[in-house]
């Protein structure tokens, strides 16, 4: 009769150890990030992976399966969602051989000891977006079934889950409890959700209170944030004080309506931009993201799912992407919690152990010099040069509401010249502009308007450099040895 108490003590000890180490089974959301790479200035992927590690970020969502990015994620242990672009859905839906090849090249090749911890494949990205006018929607479920079959053949179907990140415009309603999928999507959504359910996959949705605010002048500003609202939404017995919860419960209601009210939900994208439009600024982004994280980590849940927060949340985004299409608005290039060079834009506690964001280390910048308009420039002759520069480089911070709006006509020109010059890796000729530009060593940044200095991209050569160094060392040893 001495054994049970001892065993009990051991169990208790184990339990205490698990609680202390935080690995207890309480359903808690995890905070991850989206890592998009539509950039003009790209940090080395290994620098970005170090940035993730420094900030204790354990989950990352990608939009494709870039080999350089995946190679950098090897042995990091970070959970990865790779993505299949919408343009590939038609092919994948029509051919199991194409699906097999995709899985082999972009999943199987990386999985295993010392590899990449791929846990999800996103089949398409917001394929039901209204602005796509239905061009991808019929391919989604057939592509999903083919990729699933390929995963099963590779014995990965239990480990790697398929998901389809949907935009919140897939469902609609005035009040959350009446949420329903768009009528033309009901059938596809029913098939999709039934597949996800049988496969143990979550429903992935992207929610953007910023876009509601940006696109609608009647939208009450405080309803976009998490600090209470003077315009709450009353829905029967439930009251909503923030757009995020309201949107989330609209989805819960839509899922209930097709018979899957219990389906786990992951937030695939959520965030706030910091530049390029009114309302897109550092303060608003910090307040929104911190409010969101605190709200989710409080495990309060929502009126339709009390005590059940979303499974995971992927912030949009890790880094700014200055080459993104600005059709949605000039803010589109400024969603990062870090600027393009991995520097934190504001203090943010991700709830992962650090109290604030830590900057990327060992970023290699070009020399500290800028290209500006020559003081003697005749402004009238410069308009075309400026247009050309801005077509290629990023000038969205100059727009109304942007951090560089209001730096004057000459400031505009200098900003455009510099953005182009940095993009051309500070090539001397790229600052000529028919004699209208000149290089300066004095930082022309004014107030919040930052004139950037580019980073040197050595992503493709670094591994080679290491290899070269090894070869040189061995050659030396060889020479030294045979000299005797
Ligand atoms: C693997 O993914 C990459 C990046 O998304 C893509 O370019 C490539 O075509 C994919 N491989 C196959 C076999 O489809
Ligand atoms: C920042 O954006 C918020 C709303 O998103 C707005 O209320 C505020 O005035 C903006 N601040 C500045 C300095 O523009
Ligand atoms: C600078 O450029 C921005 C964006 O094109 C424009 O809104 C602003 O009026 C310009 N400023 C001057 C003084 O021309």
């Amino acid at each position: 009769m001495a054994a049970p108490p001892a065993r009990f003590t051991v169990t208790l000890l184990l339990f205490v150890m698990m609680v202390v180490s935080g690995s207890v089974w309480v359903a808690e959301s995890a905070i991850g990030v989206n890592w998009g790479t539509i950039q003009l200035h790209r940090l080395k992927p290994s620098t970005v992976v170090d940035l993730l590690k420094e900030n204790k970020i354990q989950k990352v969502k990608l939009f494709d399966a870039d080999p350089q990015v995946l190679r950098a994620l090897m042995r990091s242990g970070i959970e990865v969602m790779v993505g299949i672009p919408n343009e590939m859905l038609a092919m994948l839906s029509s051919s199991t051989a194409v699906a097999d090849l995709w899985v082999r090249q972009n999943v199987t090749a990386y999985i295993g000891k010392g590899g990449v911890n791929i846990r999800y494949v996103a089949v398409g990205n917001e394929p039901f977006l209204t602005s796509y006018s239905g061009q991808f929607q019929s391919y989604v479920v057939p592509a999903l079934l083919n990729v699933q079959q390929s995963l099963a053949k590779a014995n990965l179907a239990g480990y790697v889950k398929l998901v389809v990140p949907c935009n919140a415009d897939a469902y609609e309603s005035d009040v959350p409890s009446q949420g329903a999928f768009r009528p033309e999507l009901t059938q596809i959504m029913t098939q999709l959700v039934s597949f996800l359910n049988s496969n143990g996959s979550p429903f992935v949705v992207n929610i953007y209170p910023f876009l509601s605010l940006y696109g609608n002048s009647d939208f009450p500003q405080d309803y976009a944030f998490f600090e209470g609202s003077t315009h709450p939404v009353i829905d029967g017995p439930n009251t909503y004080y923030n757009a995020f919860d309201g949107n989330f419960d609209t989805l819960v209601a839509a899922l209930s309506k097709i018979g899957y009210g219990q389906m786990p939900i992951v937030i695939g994208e959520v965030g706030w931009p910091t530049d390029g439009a009114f309302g897109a600024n550092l303060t608003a982004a910090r307040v929104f993201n911190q409010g969101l994280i605190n709200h989710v980590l409080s495990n309060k849940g929502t009126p339709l799912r009390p005590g059940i927060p979303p499974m995971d949340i992927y912030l949009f985004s890790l880094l700014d992407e200055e080459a993104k299409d600005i059709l949605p608005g000039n803010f589109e290039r400024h969603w990062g919690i870090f600027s393009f060079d991995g520097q934190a834009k504001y203090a943010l506690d991700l709830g992962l152990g650090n109290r604030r964001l830590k900057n990327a280390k060992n970023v290699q910048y070009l020399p500290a010099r800028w290209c500006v308009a020559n003081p003697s420039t005749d402004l009238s002759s410069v308009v075309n040069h400026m247009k050309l520069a801005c077509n290629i480089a990023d000038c969205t911070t100059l727009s109304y509401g942007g951090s560089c709006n209001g730096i004057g006509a000459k400031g505009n020109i200098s900003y455009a010249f510099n953005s182009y010059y940095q993009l051309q890796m500070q090539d001397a000729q790229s600052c000529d502009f028919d004699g209208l530009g000149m290089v300066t060593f004095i930082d022309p940044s004014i107030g919040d308007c930052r004139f950037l200095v580019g980073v040197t991209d050595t992503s493709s050569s670094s591994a080679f450099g290491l290899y070269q160094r090894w070869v040189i060392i061995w050659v030396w040893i060889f020479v030294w040895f045979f000299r005797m």
Side-chain angles (χ1 to χ4, degrees), residues 197-273:
N197 183 62
S198 63
N199 192 41
S201 293
F203 190 94
V204 179
V205 66
N206 302 341
I207 294 179
Y208 281 115
F210 170 79
L211 296 180
S212 310
L213 185 63
Y214 179 77
N216 179 355
S217 54
D218 299 334
F219 194 87
Q221 177 159 319
D222 58 5
Y223 191 61
F225 295 87
F226 294 87
E227 287 164 359
S229 175
T230 50
H231 299 76
V233 170
I234 314 283
D235 180 8
N238 298 325
T239 305
Y240 291 87
Y241 294 97
N242 67 74
F244 179 83
D245 282 357
N247 200 306
F248 186 89
D249 273 3
T250 310
L251 171 61
V252 172
L255 288 167
S256 297
K257 204 154 284 175
I258 59 171
Y260 294 95
Q262 308 301 316
M263 169 124 261
I265 296 172
V266 162
I267 310 298
E269 295 179 20
V270 60
W272 201 276

Coordinates of all heavy atoms in Angstrom, one line a residue, residues 197-273:
N197 N -14.4 19.5 -41.3 CA -14.9 18.8 -40.1 C -14.4 17.4 -40.0 O -13.9 16.9 -39.0 CB -16.4 18.9 -40.0 CG -17.0 18.3 -38.7 OD1 -16.6 18.8 -37.6 ND2 -17.7 17.2 -38.9
S198 N -14.6 16.7 -41.1 CA -14.2 15.2 -41.1 C -12.7 15.1 -41.1 O -12.2 14.0 -40.7 CB -14.8 14.5 -42.4 OG -14.2 15.1 -43.5
N199 N -12.0 16.1 -41.4 CA -10.5 16.1 -41.5 C -9.9 16.6 -40.2 O -8.7 16.6 -40.1 CB -10.1 16.9 -42.7 CG -8.6 16.7 -43.0 OD1 -8.1 15.5 -42.9 ND2 -7.9 17.7 -43.3
G200 N -10.7 17.1 -39.3 CA -10.2 17.7 -38.1 C -9.5 19.1 -38.3 O -8.6 19.5 -37.5
S201 N -9.9 19.8 -39.4 CA -9.3 21.1 -39.7 C -10.1 22.2 -39.2 O -11.4 22.1 -39.2 CB -9.1 21.2 -41.2 OG -8.2 20.3 -41.7
P202 N -9.5 23.3 -38.8 CA -10.3 24.5 -38.4 C -10.8 25.3 -39.6 O -10.3 25.1 -40.7 CB -9.3 25.3 -37.6 CG -8.0 25.0 -38.2 CD -8.1 23.6 -38.7
F203 N -11.8 26.2 -39.4 CA -12.2 27.1 -40.4 C -11.3 28.4 -40.2 O -11.1 28.9 -39.1 CB -13.7 27.5 -40.2 CG -14.2 28.3 -41.3 CD1 -14.9 27.7 -42.3 CD2 -14.1 29.7 -41.3 CE1 -15.4 28.5 -43.4 CE2 -14.6 30.5 -42.4 CZ -15.3 29.8 -43.4
V204 N -10.7 28.8 -41.3 CA -9.8 29.9 -41.2 C -10.4 31.2 -41.8 O -10.8 31.1 -42.9 CB -8.4 29.6 -41.8 CG1 -7.5 30.8 -41.8 CG2 -7.8 28.4 -41.2
V205 N -10.4 32.3 -41.0 CA -11.1 33.5 -41.5 C -10.2 34.7 -41.2 O -9.5 34.7 -40.3 CB -12.5 33.7 -40.8 CG1 -12.3 33.9 -39.3 CG2 -13.3 34.8 -41.5
N206 N -10.3 35.7 -42.2 CA -9.5 36.9 -42.0 C -10.5 38.0 -41.7 O -11.5 38.2 -42.4 CB -8.8 37.3 -43.3 CG -7.9 36.2 -43.8 OD1 -7.5 35.3 -43.0 ND2 -7.5 36.2 -45.1
I207 N -10.2 38.7 -40.6 CA -11.1 39.7 -40.1 C -10.4 41.1 -40.0 O -9.4 41.2 -39.3 CB -11.7 39.3 -38.7 CG1 -12.6 38.1 -38.9 CG2 -12.5 40.5 -38.1 CD1 -13.2 37.6 -37.6
Y208 N -11.0 42.1 -40.6 CA -10.3 43.4 -40.7 C -11.2 44.6 -40.2 O -11.8 45.3 -41.1 CB -9.8 43.7 -42.1 CG -8.5 43.0 -42.4 CD1 -8.5 42.0 -43.3 CD2 -7.4 43.3 -41.7 CE1 -7.3 41.3 -43.6 CE2 -6.2 42.7 -42.0 CZ -6.2 41.7 -42.9 OH -5.0 41.0 -43.2
P209 N -11.3 44.9 -38.9 CA -12.1 46.1 -38.5 C -11.6 47.4 -39.2 O -12.3 48.3 -39.5 CB -11.9 46.1 -37.0 CG -11.7 44.7 -36.7 CD -10.9 44.1 -37.8
F210 N -10.3 47.4 -39.5 CA -9.7 48.6 -40.1 C -10.4 48.9 -41.5 O -10.8 50.0 -41.8 CB -8.2 48.5 -40.4 CG -7.7 49.6 -41.3 CD1 -7.5 50.9 -40.7 CD2 -7.5 49.4 -42.6 CE1 -7.0 51.9 -41.5 CE2 -7.1 50.5 -43.5 CZ -6.8 51.7 -42.9
L211 N -10.7 47.8 -42.2 CA -11.3 48.0 -43.5 C -12.8 48.5 -43.4 O -13.3 49.2 -44.2 CB -11.2 46.7 -44.4 CG -9.8 46.3 -44.7 CD1 -9.8 45.0 -45.6 CD2 -9.1 47.4 -45.5
S212 N -13.4 48.0 -42.3 CA -14.8 48.5 -42.1 C -14.8 50.0 -41.8 O -15.6 50.7 -42.3 CB -15.4 47.8 -40.9 OG -15.3 46.4 -41.0
L213 N -13.8 50.4 -41.0 CA -13.7 51.8 -40.7 C -13.3 52.6 -41.9 O -13.9 53.7 -42.2 CB -12.6 52.0 -39.6 CG -12.4 53.3 -39.0 CD1 -13.7 53.8 -38.3 CD2 -11.3 53.3 -38.0
Y214 N -12.3 52.1 -42.7 CA -11.8 52.8 -43.8 C -12.9 53.0 -44.9 O -13.0 54.0 -45.6 CB -10.6 52.0 -44.4 CG -10.0 52.6 -45.6 CD1 -9.1 53.7 -45.5 CD2 -10.2 52.1 -46.9 CE1 -8.5 54.3 -46.6 CE2 -9.6 52.6 -48.0 CZ -8.7 53.7 -47.9 OH -8.1 54.2 -49.0
G215 N -13.7 51.9 -45.1 CA -14.6 51.9 -46.2 C -16.0 52.5 -45.9 O -16.9 52.5 -46.7
N216 N -16.2 53.0 -44.7 CA -17.5 53.3 -44.3 C -17.5 54.5 -43.3 O -17.1 54.3 -42.1 CB -18.2 52.1 -43.6 CG -19.6 52.3 -43.1 OD1 -20.1 53.5 -43.2 ND2 -20.2 51.3 -42.6
S217 N -17.9 55.7 -43.7 CA -17.7 56.9 -42.9 C -18.7 56.9 -41.7 O -18.5 57.6 -40.7 CB -17.9 58.1 -43.7 OG -19.2 58.0 -44.4
D218 N -19.7 56.0 -41.8 CA -20.7 55.9 -40.6 C -20.2 55.0 -39.5 O -20.8 54.9 -38.5 CB -22.0 55.4 -41.1 CG -22.7 56.3 -42.1 OD1 -22.3 57.5 -42.1 OD2 -23.5 55.8 -43.0
F219 N -19.1 54.2 -39.8 CA -18.7 53.2 -38.9 C -18.2 53.9 -37.6 O -17.3 54.7 -37.7 CB -17.6 52.3 -39.5 CG -17.3 51.1 -38.8 CD1 -18.0 49.9 -39.1 CD2 -16.3 51.0 -37.9 CE1 -17.8 48.7 -38.4 CE2 -16.0 49.8 -37.2 CZ -16.8 48.7 -37.5
P220 N -18.7 53.5 -36.4 CA -18.3 54.2 -35.2 C -16.8 53.8 -34.9 O -16.5 52.6 -34.8 CB -19.2 53.7 -34.1 CG -20.0 52.6 -34.7 CD -19.8 52.5 -36.2
Q221 N -16.0 54.8 -34.8 CA -14.5 54.5 -34.7 C -14.2 53.6 -33.5 O -13.4 52.7 -33.6 CB -13.8 55.8 -34.6 CG -12.3 55.6 -34.4 CD -11.5 56.8 -34.7 OE1 -11.8 57.5 -35.7 NE2 -10.5 57.1 -33.9
D222 N -14.8 53.9 -32.3 CA -14.4 53.1 -31.1 C -14.9 51.7 -31.2 O -14.4 50.8 -30.5 CB -14.9 53.8 -29.8 CG -16.4 54.0 -29.8 OD1 -17.1 53.6 -30.7 OD2 -16.9 54.7 -28.8
Y223 N -15.9 51.4 -32.1 CA -16.3 50.0 -32.3 C -15.2 49.1 -33.0 O -15.2 47.9 -32.9 CB -17.6 49.9 -33.1 CG -18.3 48.6 -33.1 CD1 -18.8 48.0 -32.0 CD2 -18.5 47.9 -34.3 CE1 -19.4 46.8 -32.0 CE2 -19.2 46.7 -34.4 CZ -19.6 46.1 -33.2 OH -20.2 44.9 -33.2
A224 N -14.3 49.8 -33.7 CA -13.2 49.0 -34.3 C -12.2 48.5 -33.3 O -11.4 47.6 -33.5 CB -12.5 49.9 -35.3
F225 N -12.1 49.2 -32.1 CA -11.1 48.9 -31.1 C -11.7 48.0 -30.0 O -12.9 47.6 -30.1 CB -10.5 50.2 -30.6 CG -9.7 50.9 -31.7 CD1 -10.4 51.8 -32.5 CD2 -8.4 50.6 -31.9 CE1 -9.7 52.4 -33.5 CE2 -7.7 51.3 -32.9 CZ -8.3 52.2 -33.7
F226 N -11.0 47.8 -28.9 CA -11.4 46.9 -27.9 C -11.6 47.6 -26.5 O -11.5 46.9 -25.5 CB -10.3 45.8 -27.7 CG -10.3 44.9 -28.9 CD1 -9.4 45.3 -30.0 CD2 -11.0 43.8 -29.1 CE1 -9.4 44.5 -31.1 CE2 -11.0 43.0 -30.2 CZ -10.1 43.3 -31.2
E227 N -11.8 48.9 -26.5 CA -11.9 49.6 -25.2 C -13.3 50.0 -24.9 O -13.5 51.0 -24.2 CB -10.9 50.7 -25.2 CG -9.5 50.2 -25.1 CD -8.4 51.2 -25.5 OE1 -8.7 52.3 -25.9 OE2 -7.3 50.8 -25.4
G228 N -14.3 49.3 -25.4 CA -15.7 49.7 -25.2 C -16.1 50.6 -26.3 O -15.3 51.2 -26.9
S229 N -17.4 50.7 -26.5 CA -17.9 51.5 -27.6 C -19.2 52.3 -27.2 O -20.0 51.8 -26.4 CB -18.3 50.6 -28.8 OG -18.9 51.3 -29.8
T230 N -19.2 53.5 -27.7 CA -20.4 54.3 -27.4 C -21.6 53.9 -28.3 O -22.7 54.3 -28.2 CB -20.1 55.8 -27.6 OG1 -19.5 55.9 -28.9 CG2 -19.2 56.3 -26.5
H231 N -21.2 53.0 -29.3 CA -22.2 52.5 -30.2 C -22.2 51.0 -30.3 O -21.9 50.4 -31.3 CB -22.0 53.0 -31.7 CG -22.0 54.5 -31.8 ND1 -21.0 55.3 -31.4 CD2 -23.0 55.3 -32.3 CE1 -21.3 56.6 -31.6 NE2 -22.5 56.6 -32.2
P232 N -22.5 50.3 -29.1 CA -22.5 48.9 -29.2 C -23.6 48.3 -30.1 O -24.6 49.0 -30.3 CB -22.8 48.5 -27.7 CG -23.4 49.7 -27.1 CD -22.9 50.9 -27.8
V233 N -23.5 47.1 -30.5 CA -24.5 46.5 -31.4 C -25.3 45.6 -30.5 O -24.8 44.7 -29.8 CB -23.9 45.7 -32.5 CG1 -24.9 44.8 -33.2 CG2 -23.2 46.6 -33.5
I234 N -26.6 45.9 -30.4 CA -27.5 45.1 -29.5 C -28.1 44.0 -30.4 O -28.7 44.3 -31.5 CB -28.6 45.9 -28.9 CG1 -28.1 47.3 -28.4 CG2 -29.4 45.1 -27.9 CD1 -27.4 47.2 -27.1
D235 N -28.0 42.8 -30.0 CA -28.4 41.6 -30.8 C -29.2 40.7 -29.8 O -28.6 39.8 -29.2 CB -27.2 40.9 -31.4 CG -27.6 39.7 -32.3 OD1 -28.8 39.5 -32.5 OD2 -26.7 39.0 -32.7
G236 N -30.5 40.9 -29.7 CA -31.3 40.1 -28.7 C -30.7 40.3 -27.4 O -30.5 41.4 -26.9
P237 N -30.4 39.2 -26.7 CA -29.9 39.2 -25.4 C -28.4 39.6 -25.3 O -27.8 39.9 -24.3 CB -30.0 37.8 -24.8 CG -30.0 36.9 -26.1 CD -30.6 37.8 -27.2
N238 N -27.7 39.7 -26.5 CA -26.3 39.9 -26.5 C -26.0 41.3 -27.0 O -26.6 41.9 -27.8 CB -25.6 38.9 -27.5 CG -25.8 37.5 -27.0 OD1 -25.8 37.2 -25.8 ND2 -26.0 36.6 -28.0
T239 N -24.9 41.9 -26.4 CA -24.4 43.2 -26.7 C -23.0 43.1 -27.2 O -22.2 42.4 -26.5 CB -24.5 44.2 -25.5 OG1 -25.9 44.1 -25.1 CG2 -24.2 45.6 -26.0
Y240 N -22.7 43.7 -28.3 CA -21.3 43.6 -28.9 C -20.6 45.0 -28.7 O -21.2 46.0 -29.2 CB -21.3 43.2 -30.3 CG -21.7 41.7 -30.5 CD1 -23.0 41.3 -30.5 CD2 -20.7 40.7 -30.4 CE1 -23.4 40.0 -30.6 CE2 -21.1 39.4 -30.5 CZ -22.4 39.0 -30.6 OH -22.7 37.7 -30.7
Y241 N -19.4 45.0 -28.1 CA -18.7 46.2 -27.9 C -17.5 46.4 -28.9 O -16.8 47.4 -28.8 CB -18.2 46.3 -26.5 CG -19.4 46.4 -25.5 CD1 -19.8 45.3 -24.8 CD2 -20.0 47.7 -25.3 CE1 -20.9 45.4 -24.0 CE2 -21.1 47.8 -24.4 CZ -21.5 46.6 -23.7 OH -22.6 46.7 -22.9
N242 N -17.3 45.4 -29.7 CA -16.2 45.6 -30.7 C -16.5 44.8 -32.0 O -17.1 43.7 -31.9 CB -14.8 45.2 -30.1 CG -14.8 43.7 -29.8 OD1 -14.6 42.9 -30.7 ND2 -14.9 43.4 -28.5
A243 N -16.0 45.3 -33.1 CA -16.3 44.7 -34.4 C -15.7 43.3 -34.5 O -16.3 42.5 -35.2 CB -15.6 45.6 -35.5
F244 N -14.6 43.1 -33.9 CA -14.0 41.7 -34.0 C -15.0 40.6 -33.5 O -15.2 39.7 -34.2 CB -12.7 41.7 -33.2 CG -12.0 40.4 -33.3 CD1 -11.2 40.0 -34.4 CD2 -12.1 39.5 -32.2 CE1 -10.6 38.8 -34.4 CE2 -11.5 38.2 -32.3 CZ -10.7 37.9 -33.4
D245 N -15.5 40.8 -32.3 CA -16.4 39.9 -31.7 C -17.7 39.7 -32.5 O -18.2 38.6 -32.8 CB -16.8 40.3 -30.3 CG -15.7 39.9 -29.3 OD1 -14.7 39.3 -29.7 OD2 -15.9 40.3 -28.1
G246 N -18.2 40.9 -33.0 CA -19.4 40.9 -33.8 C -19.2 40.1 -35.1 O -20.0 39.2 -35.5
N247 N -18.0 40.3 -35.7 CA -17.7 39.6 -36.9 C -17.5 38.1 -36.7 O -18.0 37.2 -37.4 CB -16.4 40.2 -37.5 CG -16.3 39.9 -39.0 OD1 -16.4 38.7 -39.4 ND2 -16.1 40.9 -39.8
F248 N -16.8 37.8 -35.6 CA -16.5 36.4 -35.3 C -17.9 35.6 -35.0 O -18.1 34.5 -35.6 CB -15.7 36.4 -34.0 CG -15.2 35.0 -33.5 CD1 -14.0 34.5 -34.0 CD2 -16.0 34.2 -32.7 CE1 -13.6 33.3 -33.6 CE2 -15.5 33.0 -32.2 CZ -14.3 32.5 -32.7
D249 N -18.8 36.3 -34.3 CA -20.0 35.6 -34.0 C -20.9 35.5 -35.3 O -21.8 34.6 -35.4 CB -20.8 36.3 -32.9 CG -20.3 35.7 -31.5 OD1 -19.4 34.8 -31.5 OD2 -20.9 36.1 -30.5
T250 N -20.8 36.4 -36.2 CA -21.5 36.3 -37.4 C -21.1 35.0 -38.2 O -21.9 34.3 -38.7 CB -21.3 37.5 -38.3 OG1 -21.5 38.7 -37.6 CG2 -22.2 37.5 -39.6
L251 N -19.8 34.7 -38.1 CA -19.3 33.5 -38.7 C -19.8 32.3 -37.9 O -20.2 31.3 -38.5 CB -17.8 33.5 -38.7 CG -17.1 32.2 -39.1 CD1 -17.5 31.7 -40.5 CD2 -15.6 32.3 -39.0
V252 N -19.8 32.4 -36.6 CA -20.3 31.2 -35.8 C -21.8 30.9 -36.2 O -22.1 29.8 -36.4 CB -20.2 31.6 -34.3 CG1 -20.9 30.5 -33.4 CG2 -18.7 31.7 -33.8
A253 N -22.6 32.0 -36.3 CA -24.0 31.8 -36.7 C -24.1 31.2 -38.1 O -24.9 30.3 -38.3 CB -24.7 33.2 -36.6
A254 N -23.2 31.7 -39.0 CA -23.3 31.1 -40.4 C -22.9 29.7 -40.4 O -23.5 28.8 -41.1 CB -22.3 31.9 -41.3
L255 N -21.9 29.3 -39.6 CA -21.5 27.9 -39.5 C -22.7 27.1 -38.8 O -22.9 25.9 -39.3 CB -20.2 27.7 -38.7 CG -18.9 28.2 -39.3 CD1 -17.8 28.3 -38.3 CD2 -18.6 27.3 -40.5
S256 N -23.3 27.6 -37.8 CA -24.4 26.9 -37.2 C -25.5 26.6 -38.2 O -26.1 25.6 -38.2 CB -25.0 27.7 -36.1 OG -24.1 28.0 -35.1
K257 N -25.8 27.6 -39.0 CA -26.9 27.5 -40.0 C -26.6 26.4 -41.0 O -27.6 25.8 -41.4 CB -27.0 28.8 -40.8 CG -28.3 29.1 -41.4 CD -28.6 30.6 -41.6 CE -28.9 31.2 -40.3 NZ -29.1 32.7 -40.4
I258 N -25.4 26.0 -41.3 CA -25.2 24.8 -42.1 C -24.8 23.6 -41.3 O -24.4 22.6 -41.9 CB -24.1 25.1 -43.2 CG1 -22.8 25.5 -42.6 CG2 -24.6 26.2 -44.2 CD1 -21.6 25.6 -43.6
G259 N -25.0 23.7 -40.0 CA -24.9 22.5 -39.2 C -23.6 22.2 -38.5 O -23.3 21.2 -38.0
Y260 N -22.7 23.3 -38.5 CA -21.4 23.1 -37.9 C -21.0 24.2 -36.9 O -20.0 24.8 -36.9 CB -20.3 23.0 -39.0 CG -20.4 21.8 -39.9 CD1 -21.1 21.9 -41.1 CD2 -19.9 20.6 -39.5 CE1 -21.3 20.8 -41.9 CE2 -20.1 19.4 -40.3 CZ -20.8 19.5 -41.5 OH -20.9 18.4 -42.2
G261 N -22.0 24.4 -36.0 CA -21.8 25.5 -35.0 C -20.6 25.3 -34.1 O -20.2 26.3 -33.5
Q262 N -20.1 24.1 -34.0 CA -19.0 23.8 -33.1 C -17.6 23.9 -33.7 O -16.6 23.7 -33.1 CB -19.1 22.4 -32.4 CG -20.5 22.2 -31.8 CD -20.8 23.2 -30.7 OE1 -19.9 23.5 -29.9 NE2 -22.0 23.7 -30.7
M263 N -17.6 24.1 -35.0 CA -16.3 24.1 -35.8 C -15.3 25.0 -35.2 O -15.5 26.2 -34.9 CB -16.6 24.5 -37.2 CG -15.5 24.8 -38.0 SD -15.6 23.8 -39.5 CE -14.5 22.5 -39.1
P264 N -14.0 24.5 -34.9 CA -13.0 25.4 -34.4 C -12.6 26.5 -35.4 O -12.7 26.3 -36.6 CB -11.8 24.5 -34.2 CG -12.3 23.2 -34.4 CD -13.6 23.2 -35.0
I265 N -12.4 27.7 -34.9 CA -12.1 28.8 -35.8 C -10.6 29.4 -35.6 O -10.3 29.6 -34.4 CB -13.1 30.0 -35.6 CG1 -14.5 29.5 -36.1 CG2 -12.7 31.2 -36.5 CD1 -15.6 30.4 -35.8
V266 N -9.9 29.6 -36.6 CA -8.6 30.2 -36.6 C -8.7 31.5 -37.3 O -9.3 31.6 -38.3 CB -7.5 29.3 -37.2 CG1 -6.3 30.1 -37.6 CG2 -7.2 28.1 -36.4
I267 N -8.1 32.6 -36.7 CA -8.0 33.9 -37.4 C -6.8 33.9 -38.3 O -5.6 33.9 -37.8 CB -8.0 35.1 -36.5 CG1 -9.2 34.9 -35.4 CG2 -8.1 36.4 -37.2 CD1 -10.6 34.9 -36.0
G268 N -6.9 33.8 -39.6 CA -5.8 33.7 -40.5 C -5.1 35.0 -40.7 O -3.9 35.1 -40.9
E269 N -5.8 36.1 -40.6 CA -5.2 37.5 -40.8 C -6.1 38.4 -39.9 O -7.3 38.4 -40.0 CB -5.3 38.0 -42.2 CG -4.5 37.2 -43.2 CD -4.6 37.8 -44.6 OE1 -5.0 39.0 -44.8 OE2 -4.3 37.1 -45.6
V270 N -5.4 39.3 -39.2 CA -6.0 40.4 -38.5 C -4.9 41.4 -38.1 O -3.8 41.0 -37.8 CB -6.8 39.9 -37.2 CG1 -5.9 39.2 -36.2 CG2 -7.5 41.0 -36.6
G271 N -5.2 42.7 -38.2 CA -4.2 43.6 -37.9 C -4.6 45.0 -38.2 O -5.8 45.3 -38.5
W272 N -3.6 46.0 -38.2 CA -3.9 47.4 -38.5 C -2.7 48.0 -39.1 O -1.6 47.8 -38.7 CB -4.2 48.1 -37.1 CG -5.0 49.3 -37.3 CD1 -4.5 50.6 -37.5 CD2 -6.4 49.5 -37.1 NE1 -5.5 51.5 -37.6 CE2 -6.7 50.9 -37.3 CE3 -7.4 48.6 -36.8 CZ2 -8.0 51.4 -37.2 CZ3 -8.7 49.2 -36.7 CH2 -9.0 50.5 -36.9
P273 N -2.9 48.7 -40.3 CA -1.8 49.3 -40.9 C -1.3 50.6 -40.2 O -2.1 51.2 -39.5 CB -2.4 49.6 -42.3 CG -3.8 49.8 -42.1 CD -4.2 49.0 -40.9

